[in-house]
């Protein structure tokens, strides 16, 4: 007989697999979506510092596009983005809109 | 053989903690438990233990720090009472849900309002569903013995749950009694070296405590938590048997006093059981077959064993030193649960006594026994729930 599911759980709901939260794609909660406008970007990396998740991808010191798997659309990056001469490099848009 | 001393309940339990020498203790003072932790912190200051004491700004923080330290892999203890326990409320469930074997003596005290510092059981009864094991103690000796056994019970590999050791505020915590202490080495051997399970400080194997678990598995986790509780009974008895070998003092899931051939009996917790035993003796000398049952383990509650011990009685009074306003007292509800499946259930009454430290006097027990004599004859109960010892 198959063991019931509740008997197979880790005691105390401890998670023994490090880094497993990467499997939890929290981006599905998003109702607003940040859009990167590359020509206005001065590569200050404020967005990378301020993003509370890991949704701003930086490679070789350069900002790349968003990783939408974890972006919750909080808009902090858009708020903090200085942009170029007053033109924001991040704008928030309605998800699926 | 250790020494025989004259000490208060708080002193005795502080001594048990000194002998166990936990790794971490986080505490906040509250009457009547203050003196317990104050004595223990003196042991720390005097270099008698190497416990790390975390002084916090509230009991909520005390339990939070205990949870952190226990998850890190330490043997952890604290103590509290009344409002302090109430302030720990949300963290109690987390300690149990995370399966962290924290040991916490609770000096039973009434809950506000009105503000009252004296002994009743409303604090720990309010925490009975938090997932903690609860042991109750009649005397300073029992509190000392229970505290030592609590480490073995809670830390047992089949259990891994936090344990409350309850004793009556002032009546036991501040009264001097004869207590037999074990030798330090005996206690140390008895509790053994602490073996953490999934410690956070094992940094080669990173892990997370306290994840978000929603409708997918929460229900199953709670089912598993109940299952652990079903194993506690055997461990409590196993630990008690080992403890008896060491100390000569016998413990079970509950204590019975002149109950085997009794016709009527009082079920009662903690210090008031002592007074009741005296009254049982005087009724026995009058030829009335009275007896007593005093639960030791209240969570998990040993329903079947209690039912078997009470099954031959003609009338039972359950005395509660805590109330459920608009409901029966918490002990009465458990005894109802125990006898529910019995054929020919004995008639039962629930009497609330001693709230806010109101003295429980022999004449209160006498009145209850007199009423039970009548119920045993007629089988009729007039008032199911009532209050005794009320001022006129
Ligand atoms: S919207 Fe919020 S989560 Fe998404 S990238 Fe910007 S800061 Fe990060
Ligand atoms: S904050 Fe704006 S300007 Fe700075 S790197 Fe991010 S997108 Fe570019």
């Amino acid at each position: 007989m198959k063991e019931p599911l509740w008997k197979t759980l880790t005691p105390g709901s401890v998670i023994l697999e490090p880094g497993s939260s990467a499997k939890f794609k929290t981006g599905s909660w998003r109702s607003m979506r940040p859009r990167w406008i590359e020509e206005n970007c001065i590569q200050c990396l404020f967005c990378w510092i301020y993003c509370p998740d890991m949704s701003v991808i930086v490679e070789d010191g350069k900002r790349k596009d968003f990783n939408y798997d974890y972006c919750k659309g909080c808009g902090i990056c858009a708020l903090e983005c200085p942009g170029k001469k007053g033109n924001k490099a991040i704008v928030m848009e309605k998800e699926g809109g | 053989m250790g020494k025989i001393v004259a000490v208060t309940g708080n002193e005795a339990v502080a001594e048990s903690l000194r002998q166990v020498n936990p790794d971490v203790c986080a505490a906040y003072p509250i009457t009547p438990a203050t003196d317990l932790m104050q004595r223990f912190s003196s042991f720390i200051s005097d270099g008698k233990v190497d416990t790390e004491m975390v002084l916090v700004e509230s009991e909520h923080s005390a339990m939070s720090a205990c949870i952190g330290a226990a998850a890190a892999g330490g043997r952890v203890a604290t103590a509290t009472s009344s409002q302090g326990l109430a302030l720990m409320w949300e963290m109690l469930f987390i300690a149990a849900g995370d399966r962290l074997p924290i040991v916490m003596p609770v000096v039973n005290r009434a809950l506000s309002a009105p503000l009252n510092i004296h002994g009743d059981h409303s604090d720990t009864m309010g925490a009975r569903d938090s997932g903690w094991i609860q042991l109750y103690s009649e005397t300073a000796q029992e509190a000392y013995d229970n505290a030592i056994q609590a480490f073995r019970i809670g830390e047992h590999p089949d259990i891994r749950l936090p344990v409350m050791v309850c004793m009556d505020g002032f009546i036991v915590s501040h009264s001097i009694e004869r207590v037999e202490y074990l030798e330090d080495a005996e206690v140390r051997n008895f509790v053994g070296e602490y073996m953490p399970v999934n410690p956070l400080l094992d940094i080669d194997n990173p892990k997370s405590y306290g994840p978000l678990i929603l409708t997918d598995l929460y229900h199953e986790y709670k089912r598993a938590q109940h299952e652990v509780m079903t194993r506690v009974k055997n461990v409590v008895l196993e630990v008690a048997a080992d403890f008896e070998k060491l100390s000569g003092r016998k413990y079970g899931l509950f204590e019975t006093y002149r109950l085997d051939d009794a016709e009527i009996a009082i079920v009662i917790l903690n210090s008031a059981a002592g007074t009741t035993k005296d009254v049982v003796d005087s009724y026995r000398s009058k030829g009335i077959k009275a007896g007593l049952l005093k639960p030791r383990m209240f969570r998990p509650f040993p329903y079947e064993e209690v039912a078997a011990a009470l099954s031959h009685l003609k009338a039972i009074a359950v005395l509660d030193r805590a109330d459920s306003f608009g409901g029966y007292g918490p002990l009465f509800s458990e005894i109802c649960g125990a006898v529910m499946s019995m054929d020919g259930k004995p008639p039962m009454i629930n009497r609330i006594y001693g709230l806010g430290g109101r003295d429980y006097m022999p004449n209160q027990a006498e009145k209850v026994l007199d009423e039970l004599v009548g119920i045993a004859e007629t089988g009729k109960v007039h008032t199911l729930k009532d209050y005794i010892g009320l001022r006129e």
Side-chain angles (χ1 to χ4, degrees):
Chain A
M1 207 179 84
K2 198 171 154 257
E3 192 152 51
L5 180 60
W6 64 264
K7 286 193 178 176
T8 66
L9 303 173
T10 331
S13 62
V14 180
I15 293 180
L16 299 172
E17 185 190 341
S20 61
S21 60
K23 292 182 192 164
F24 191 20
K25 304 258 166 91
T26 47
S28 60
W29 303 351
R30 189 176 55 234
S31 66
M32 297 293 283
R33 183 186 184 88
R35 180 164 62 84
W36 184 44
I37 305 164
E38 195 172 351
E39 58 268 30
N40 293 341
C41 176
I42 58 167
Q43 292 293 342
C44 66
L45 302 189
F46 277 14
C47 52
W48 174 74
I49 292 168
Y50 280 101
C51 174
D53 211 301
M54 42 194 255
S55 306
V56 176
I57 305 299
V58 173
E59 274 170 26
D60 303 326
K62 292 275 181 209
R63 190 211 197 285
K64 302 278 173 225
D65 208 346
F66 289 106
N67 176 344
Y68 290 105
D69 280 352
Y70 307 104
C71 167
K72 289 158 196 75
C74 66
I76 293 172
C77 54
L79 185 80
E80 298 298 337
C81 174
K84 197 186 279 176
K85 294 180 182 159
N87 294 315
K88 289 269 186 191
I90 303 175
V91 291
M92 297 303 292
E93 295 171 341
K94 217 169 154 54
E95 182 62 46
Chain B
M1 182 58 199
K3 47 182 185 204
I4 295 169
V5 290
V7 291
T8 64
N10 276 345
E11 220 172 328
V13 175
E15 175 69 2
S16 73
L17 295 182
R18 183 192 65 73
Q19 293 179 309
V20 170
N21 191 8
D23 298 312
V24 179
C25 176
Y28 190 83
I30 183 163
T31 305
T34 303
D35 163 57
L36 197 168
M37 269 303 140
Q38 190 181 325
R39 284 170 191 279
F40 184 67
S41 43
S42 299
F43 293 141
I44 298 175
S45 312
D46 297 343
K48 300 258 166 65
V49 287
D50 37 43
T51 306
E52 175 112 22
M53 175 62 103
V54 189
L55 297 175
V56 287
E57 74 283 13
S58 74
E59 286 85 355
H60 187 280
S61 306
M63 186 44 64
S64 303
C66 286
I67 289 169
R75 175 178 267 161
V76 180
T78 182
T80 195
S81 183
S82 182
Q83 306 301 126
L85 183 66
L87 189 53
M88 284 180 182
W89 177 253
E90 71 167 334
M91 303 318 292
L92 294 177
F93 287 74
I94 293 172
D98 285 354
R99 304 276 301 277
L100 302 170
I102 300 160
V103 170
M104 178 163 67
V106 180
V107 184
N108 285 113
R109 166 186 148 182
L111 286 173
S112 297
L115 177 61
N116 179 303
I117 58 165
H118 289 282
D120 77 28
H121 306 152
S122 31
D123 49 4
T124 50
M125 285 301 163
R128 70 183 171 180
D129 297 334
S130 60
W132 285 57
I133 295 166
Q134 289 190 336
L135 301 176
Y136 285 78
S137 328
E138 180 183 329
T139 59
Q141 182 73 65
E142 287 190 13
Y144 169 84
D145 293 347
N146 279 339
I148 292 167
Q149 292 174 70
F151 285 93
R152 275 275 299 274
I153 297 164
E155 293 169 5
H156 192 284
D158 292 350
I159 307 296
R160 310 283 311 172
L161 282 176
V163 189
M164 282 180 207
V165 175
C166 313
M167 64 167 160
D168 285 343
F170 292 106
I171 301 165
V172 173
S173 69
H174 285 64
S175 303
I176 294 179
E177 284 177 46
R178 175 196 185 279
V179 176
E180 283 182 38
Y181 284 160
L182 297 166
E183 297 281 2
D184 290 0
E186 289 176 324
V187 174
R188 219 152 289 159
N189 282 339
F190 183 80
V191 296
E193 199 181 323
Y194 184 60
M195 305 298 268
V197 173
N198 296 326
L200 284 171
L201 284 180
D202 169 19
I203 51 173
D204 294 332
N205 297 293
K207 53 194 73 75
S208 304
Y209 274 75
L212 173 75
I213 293 181
L214 299 174
T215 46
D216 52 349
L217 281 176
Y218 183 90
H219 198 54
E220 285 69 26
Y221 268 107
K222 294 295 127 180
R223 174 66 186 87
Q225 203 174 333
H226 173 73
E227 191 70 10
V228 183
M229 275 293 202
T230 65
R231 299 199 288 259
V232 171
K233 185 162 80 180
N234 289 341
V235 172
V236 166
L237 292 173
E238 193 184 300
V239 171
D242 279 357
F243 191 79
E244 190 184 353
K245 276 181 227 149
L246 184 65
S247 66
R249 294 187 289 277
K250 194 177 171 59
Y251 287 93
L253 305 174
F254 50 84
E255 183 195 333
T256 58
Y257 187 75
R258 308 188 82 162
L259 190 68
D260 290 352
D261 66 337
E263 289 176 353
I264 55 173
I266 289 179
V267 180
I268 195 161
L269 286 166
N270 274 12
S271 65
T275 312
T276 310
K277 286 174 193 169
D278 270 356
V279 177
V280 163
D281 285 344
S282 73
Y283 272 59
R284 283 282 177 164
S285 61
K286 288 195 280 186
I288 296 168
K289 289 189 164 175
L292 169 142
L293 186 144
K294 177 190 80 180
R296 174 184 181 229
M297 185 179 84
F298 188 82
R299 275 293 176 275
F301 196 83
Y303 295 101
E304 288 160 28
E305 294 80 357
V306 166
L310 298 175
S311 62
H312 62 287
L313 294 163
K314 291 187 179 154
I316 303 169
V318 182
L319 269 57
D320 268 289
R321 200 168 207 155
D323 207 349
S324 174
F325 311 104
Y328 296 122
L331 183 56
F332 183 76
S333 300
E334 299 305 341
I335 303 299
C336 287
V339 303
M340 179 190 69
S341 54
M342 269 159 52
D343 295 331
K345 293 183 251 306
M348 301 207 300
I349 53 171
N350 185 200
R351 296 293 174 262
I352 310 291
Y353 75 99
L355 298 183
R358 167 62 45 81
D359 278 331
Y360 173 72
M361 303 305 277
N363 67 351
Q364 294 171 25
E366 287 162 9
K367 265 179 129 169
V368 171
L369 287 176
D370 290 344
E371 194 180 348
L372 286 184
V373 169
I375 294 171
E377 272 166 20
T378 62
K380 284 203 174 67
V381 169
H382 282 295
T383 319
L384 230 159
K385 176 186 172 180
D386 208 347
Y387 295 75
I388 58 172
L390 286 172
R391 288 175 59 186
E392 298 294 322

